[in-house]
Amino acid sequence: MRYFFIFLWKHSFFFLFLIFEFISFLLIVNNNPYQRSYVINSTNELTGNMFSAFTNITEYLSLKNNNKTLAEENAILHSKLNLLLSNKTDSNFNISTDSNFLMLPAKVLSNSTNNRINYLMLNKGKSDGINVDMGVISSTGIVGIVCRISENFSSVMSILHKDAKISAKIKKNNQLVNVIWKGDDYRTGTIEDIPTHIEIVPGDTIITSGNSLIFPEGILIGTCKDFIKNTGENLNNAEIIFSTDFNSLSYVYIINNLMREEQNNLINSLPDE
Amino acid sequence: MNNVFIINIIRFIFLVLFQVFILNNIEINGYVNPYFYVYFILLLPFETPKWLLLSSAFLIGLSVDIFSNSLGLNSAACVLIAFLRPGLINTLTSKREFETGIKPGIKDLGFVWFLNYSIILIFIHHFALFFLEAFGFHNFWFTFYQVLASSGLSILLIILSQYLFSYRTKV
């Protein structure tokens, strides 16, 4: 220890120099925005690279486990799929509590998200019992409505469509609203014309209302991101984030409302005003 | 000793004020800015204790920084040249020339000695300063041009003030 102090004393000039330079450097980094951002950015890049390298390695190590769980999951899904294909009316596969909705899995063949009007092409058509105006959902939420069918394929108008209007409700208080898409970002939709007495806060869940005969009640649409108060108007707007990632859809479910015809007939029999 | 101390304090204050109120407002060509206040570090007596050398360099750099909103930049460059100064003086000066009571300047050590001395220190100072400001060696030649042009101007000012002030005291 004594020699250490002797060493320090002997080179005190150099160490004093280091101390002063260190102070100066701290001052530079803490007080000059440009230099500070430079340091933060470069350290971020360094730590980011280190983290990604680390996860690459750990991912590789857990590959075997992942494969195993995926294979197990595949087996379960296959057995369910077979059951579904062999018995289309098996009530186990109704996602809604209403027993008059059926789900049919389908693969997405083509998909777009960057137009004002977006369509999906599915590998199920007339021969599979698909009809126009059936709803389409994915495992994460609402997708769209079948609008044209051929023998083996169907075309789906996704809710990313400038004319799409989905009857929805706020989960916490069952207030009815309409979800539309304004045509900009495929991740966000808009709730238009919210009466002023209805308050939506960011984080509120928006689900389908079940009023439309197309979707059963309770399918997830998205969560509220922003509530926009239109001062001086009666109706407010809200931004929502769709729960479905439209850009990465690969499997969807087509929803068949078995009682649709009956309900339609009933509605049509009502006297016009 | 006391006298020298007071002279240096006055010089310190004068040079900082001159730097921040006059020279920092002169921007020739947009980015050439002389840093004349380094003159203070050049003129500190040879007998100055090393710790005082470093501390006063740090202080004058910091003072200029406070006024020009660039905290740490000038002080880092000044501490660097204060650290290099004793070694440079030893290599430039032969033992024979070194008598007590000698002050760094043209008067005592000659024009060539002082020119070499100030060119080296000023260049190092400006180099450190401008590259710390750019914070890296991207745009190297542009920054290097800034360093060269500003160093030239600072050295010119320093030599000029040597003739203006040092010789008058001799008379």
Side-chain angles (χ1 to χ4, degrees):
Chain A
M1 203 62 192
R2 210 173 70 99
Y3 288 103
F4 178 67
F5 283 119
I6 290 171
F7 172 77
L8 276 188
W9 185 246
K10 216 174 151 188
H11 298 278
S12 59
F13 181 52
F14 179 66
F15 286 111
L16 197 63
F17 161 70
L18 282 189
I19 290 166
F20 276 128
E21 287 292 6
F22 183 69
I23 295 171
S24 303
F25 196 76
L26 276 186
L27 285 174
I28 291 173
V29 172
N30 282 323
N31 294 290
N32 300 287
Y34 166 64
Q35 276 87 350
R36 197 228 299 270
S37 69
Y38 196 89
V39 169
I40 289 173
N41 284 347
S42 44
T43 49
N44 270 355
E45 192 156 320
L46 183 73
T47 52
N49 282 336
M50 278 164 64
F51 274 124
S52 67
F54 185 70
T55 43
N56 271 346
I57 294 167
T58 50
E59 249 173 30
Y60 187 72
L61 291 175
S62 61
L63 214 56
K64 201 176 161 187
N65 258 337
N66 284 344
N67 274 341
K68 207 175 137 196
T69 48
L70 278 177
E72 280 168 3
E73 209 175 312
N74 259 349
I76 294 167
L77 288 175
H78 267 296
S79 62
K80 281 192 178 176
L81 190 68
N82 285 337
L83 213 64
L84 190 76
L85 290 174
S86 62
N87 184 5
K88 286 187 174 181
T89 51
D90 192 322
S91 61
N92 281 341
F93 299 100
N94 292 339
I95 52 126
S96 169
T97 47
D98 304 315
S99 57
N100 55 347
F101 286 102
L102 275 185
M103 289 200 341
L104 184 68
K107 188 169 170 31
V108 178
L109 299 177
S110 74
N111 183 12
S112 72
T113 55
N114 46 11
N115 303 326
R116 293 278 290 134
I117 302 168
N118 292 294
Y119 291 100
L120 295 94
M121 173 85 78
L122 307 182
N123 69 343
K124 293 278 156 72
K126 213 184 277 175
S127 59
D128 302 286
I130 309 297
N131 238 321
V132 173
D133 277 351
M134 285 183 177
V136 178
I137 61 168
S138 74
S139 54
T140 49
I142 194 165
V143 173
I145 297 161
V146 177
C147 64
R148 245 175 268 135
I149 49 168
S150 64
E151 204 54 46
N152 290 306
F153 300 102
S154 55
S155 184
V156 176
M157 178 182 114
S158 99
I159 58 169
L160 304 183
H161 189 294
K162 66 179 171 63
D163 297 327
K165 198 169 197 177
I166 307 295
S167 172
K169 64 182 182 182
I170 304 159
K171 196 179 181 184
K172 66 171 182 192
N173 52 16
N174 284 334
Q175 292 285 357
L176 289 174
V177 288
N178 283 321
V179 173
I180 57 156
W181 185 63
K182 283 199 168 156
D184 34 15
D185 187 356
Y186 70 86
R187 282 167 299 193
T188 57
T190 308
I191 304 176
E192 260 198 341
D193 301 346
I194 308 164
T196 36
H197 66 277
I198 300 175
E199 280 279 327
I200 305 183
V201 293
D204 277 355
T205 308
I206 313 296
I207 56 175
T208 54
S209 65
N211 288 1
S212 64
L213 311 186
I214 296 172
F215 295 104
E217 186 188 342
I219 304 286
L220 195 60
I221 297 175
T223 49
C224 179
K225 181 178 120 193
D226 227 345
F227 183 67
I228 302 147
K229 242 190 169 105
N230 293 335
T231 46
E233 275 181 56
N234 282 337
L235 304 165
N236 298 323
N237 287 348
E239 289 259 296
I240 64 165
I241 298 176
F242 290 130
S243 58
T244 306
D245 183 1
F246 287 94
N247 215 19
S248 69
L249 285 175
S250 56
Y251 282 94
V252 293
Y253 301 95
I254 302 167
I255 295 174
N256 187 2
N257 183 354
L258 295 174
M259 304 294 164
R260 183 188 172 82
E261 210 137 304
E262 198 181 321
Q263 287 171 315
N264 250 340
N265 286 339
L266 187 63
I267 290 170
N268 288 339
S269 70
L270 291 173
D272 283 349
E273 286 167 45
Chain B
M1 182 65 207
N2 226 350
N3 200 18
V4 173
F5 199 70
I6 290 162
I7 285 176
N8 274 295
I9 286 176
I10 293 169
R11 193 185 284 141
F12 182 106
I13 296 166
F14 172 76
L15 282 175
V16 169
L17 295 181
F18 186 64
Q19 179 66 40
V20 298
F21 288 117
I22 295 169
L23 288 183
N24 277 359
N25 295 321
I26 304 176
E27 279 195 352
I28 300 151
N29 223 347
Y31 34 75
V32 178
N33 189 1
Y35 286 93
F36 178 59
Y37 75 93
V38 188
Y39 193 37
F40 169 80
I41 301 167
L42 299 186
L43 287 193
L44 282 174
F46 289 127
E47 302 85 28
T48 317
K50 283 178 169 181
W51 64 268
L52 188 61
L53 185 66
L54 282 178
S55 329
S56 50
F58 180 73
L59 267 182
I60 195 165
L62 198 66
S63 318
V64 172
D65 275 335
I66 287 166
F67 283 107
S68 44
N69 250 330
S70 57
L71 228 51
L73 288 175
N74 281 299
S75 53
C78 286
V79 172
L80 178 67
I81 60 163
F83 175 70
L84 296 175
R85 199 188 95 135
L88 181 71
I89 289 169
N90 279 342
T91 48
L92 282 179
T93 323
S94 56
K95 281 261 159 58
R96 189 164 45 81
E97 287 175 294
F98 225 124
E99 304 158 29
T100 45
I102 266 181
K103 274 180 248 152
I106 292 175
K107 192 175 70 178
D108 288 345
L109 288 152
F111 180 76
V112 177
W113 183 92
F114 189 76
L115 192 66
N116 284 335
Y117 172 69
S118 48
I119 282 177
I120 292 170
L121 285 186
I122 291 290
F123 178 75
I124 292 170
H125 173 272
H126 284 43
F127 190 88
L129 182 66
F130 282 104
F131 277 94
L132 268 176
E133 205 177 0
F135 221 65
F137 293 103
H138 45 267
N139 245 333
F140 179 86
W141 291 110
F142 171 76
T143 317
F144 197 69
Y145 166 70
Q146 268 187 307
V147 172
L148 284 186
S150 304
S151 307
L153 211 58
S154 304
I155 291 161
L156 192 75
L157 282 171
I158 284 166
I159 300 293
L160 223 77
S161 61
Q162 273 285 303
Y163 281 110
L164 275 177
F165 298 105
S166 303
Y167 275 85
R168 204 172 51 189
T169 50
K170 195 181 177 183
V171 175

